[in-house]
Amino acid sequence: MSSTPAPNPDPALFLDRDGVINIDHGYVGTRDRFEFIPGAREAIAFATAQGWRVFVVTNQSGIARGHYTEADVHALHAWMIAEIAAAGGRIDDIRFCPFHPQAKLEKYRRISDWRKPAPGMILDILRAWNLNPVNALLIGDQTIDLQAAAAAGIRGEKFPGGDLEKFLRPLLWCAGQESVITDTP
Ligand SMILES: [Mg+2]
């Protein structure tokens, strides 16, 4: 019969990074410039405790522009994941896009379907984790985040700033309910 595996039933939270997890100081590629948004670690710990998978999808054109390297970003994310884990949260997976059409570094100069507002990073995680898009929610601070969510066929909500845990808690309570799934476009 069909060999298609049953979809992973876990609800999936996609977080933009700059402006959602950390304050967007512009091209944050190293720990010294990384400052957590108030309530960010607590928000992720709450999501984890509620049974959500948590993913990060972030444009990092600072790599294309030569401000920092892919290795810098990997190191920063390893530290970020450990800090979040210390608060009780789990980041299940991360995708970042190093490309930019006008990159200073030729290696990274291209139009990429991973670069938001394109949905490539989200689609890659949905596929890799065999997730059901109706159980997914993306939080971003910019229009391009919501455009990427829409293009991937998942719900998106704009984080207006402030305390991420306060913002996220009611959304997660709702998004895990059947009644909201039927409202998903
Ligand atoms: Mg952002």
Side-chain angles (χ1 to χ4, degrees), residues 16-19 24 141-142 145:
D16 172 40
R17 202 198 76 183
D18 301 311
D24 191 353
D141 69 322
Q142 292 186 33
D145 299 309

Side-chain angles (χ1 to χ4, degrees), residues 48-72:
T48 299
Q50 294 296 314
W52 287 66
R53 297 283 179 181
V54 182
F55 305 103
V56 177
V57 286
T58 175
N59 285 353
Q60 290 300 326
S61 72
I63 297 166
R65 298 172 200 273
H67 296 315
Y68 43 82
T69 67
E70 288 191 57
D72 290 334

